[in-house]
Amino acid sequence: MTLPWGIQEATMSEMQQVALGNQLYRTAIYLILLGLPLQVSAILEHPAPAVWCPQAPSSWHQPEVRWLAGLPQAEILYLDQCQFGQLAQKPTQLLTVNLPEPGRELAAHPGGPRCRHTSHRGVYGRDGRGGWRTAPLKECPPQMCRAMAAALYARRQKRDTTAAGRTGPTAAKALMTKGASRIQTAHHRIKHLVPLEADEQLMRAGRHRGGSAGSRYITP
């Protein structure tokens, strides 16, 4: 819990992977924050916290994410990807913002979103070609992607219908101009909340210690 963005005892290759993952995750948070003034709908997907070990690190414990989850227009949803055709159970959590439809989509999914299987085949180690058997688990199964896409599409259709009934072309243009101003204001307010340079500092610290791709960097 003291190193939520990754341990510093790692090979250069591992540090590069952690840095890229952190940047992608922070960028997702940043985009959601930017969209708040315009009520933009968003979904953040990440592995669910280890409920059997509350002390285990989790991206969901980050203060930015906890703040987002506490918003009245936000909702936390839990699902097991095996219910959508995944090879393993893979507990997953979704944070939805300005988007109530995913909850209904998951509730209507045949069999529900929670695992009902009696057992799962172990997915670990390498296959006969030397690749990691866990590699396919990095991608969300098509059924899950379809459910999220359907929720986003339904929301877009609802917003378009509502906007068309209330505004004409002139009013819509004024709304877009106002929205751009809101985004600019939001950017100035939150640009320091997601420090994307943190991983670069970690990488520079590793290089400063004279390591190579196969060495380890241990914090003194």
Side-chain angles (χ1 to χ4, degrees):
M1 293 295 287
T2 58
L3 295 169
W5 294 106
I7 61 174
Q8 296 182 359
E9 181 184 351
T11 65
M12 177 62 76
S13 175
E14 291 169 341
M15 291 175 70
Q16 289 173 341
Q17 293 181 56
V18 170
L20 176 59
N22 285 346
Q23 288 186 351
L24 292 173
Y25 188 66
R26 289 170 176 158
T27 300
I29 297 172
Y30 183 74
L31 292 175
I32 294 175
L33 289 168
L34 278 181
L36 288 178
L38 294 180
Q39 299 182 350
V40 173
S41 299
I43 302 176
L44 182 68
E45 177 270 337
H46 234 237
V51 294
W52 60 91
C53 183
Q55 294 77 28
S58 171
S59 61
W60 297 101
H61 298 327
Q62 296 298 341
E64 297 91 345
V65 180
R66 293 169 67 92
W67 182 83
L68 281 171
L71 295 174
Q73 66 268 44
E75 184 179 8
I76 291 289
L77 303 172
Y78 180 93
L79 61 93
D80 292 311
Q81 291 193 25
C82 60
Q83 292 295 96
F84 298 83
Q86 188 59 276
L87 297 175
Q89 182 178 355
K90 198 174 181 183
T92 302
Q93 201 159 267
L94 304 178
L95 168 65
T96 65
V97 182
N98 295 314
L99 193 66
E101 286 80 6
R104 294 194 286 266
E105 287 285 337
L106 294 180
H109 182 73
R114 305 296 293 267
C115 176
R116 297 187 179 184
H117 303 104
T118 56
S119 63
H120 287 279
R121 184 184 66 182
V123 182
Y124 51 84
R126 295 182 181 271
D127 57 26
R129 294 177 296 179
W132 294 106
R133 289 193 173 94
T134 54
L137 301 183
K138 293 189 292 185
E139 299 180 4
C140 295
Q143 292 183 43
M144 179 180 166
C145 295
R146 193 175 299 115
M148 291 191 291
L152 286 166
Y153 180 76
R155 185 64 172 176
R156 174 63 185 269
Q157 289 290 92
K158 182 178 179 180
R159 291 189 65 173
D160 286 351
T161 302
T162 303
R166 292 189 309 187
T167 64
T170 303
K173 184 176 180 179
L175 183 62
M176 290 297 294
T177 302
K178 185 178 181 180
S181 176
R182 286 181 176 179
I183 288 181
Q184 186 67 23
T185 301
H187 171 74
H188 287 300
R189 288 180 178 175
I190 67 175
K191 62 182 179 180
H192 299 299
L193 290 182
V194 190
L196 298 181
E197 71 277 3
D199 295 310
E200 280 300 319
Q201 293 174 359
L202 181 61
M203 295 296 293
R204 284 197 298 271
R207 288 193 292 266
H208 180 69
R209 294 172 190 175
S212 61
S215 63
R216 289 186 174 273
Y217 306 105
I218 303 175
T219 304

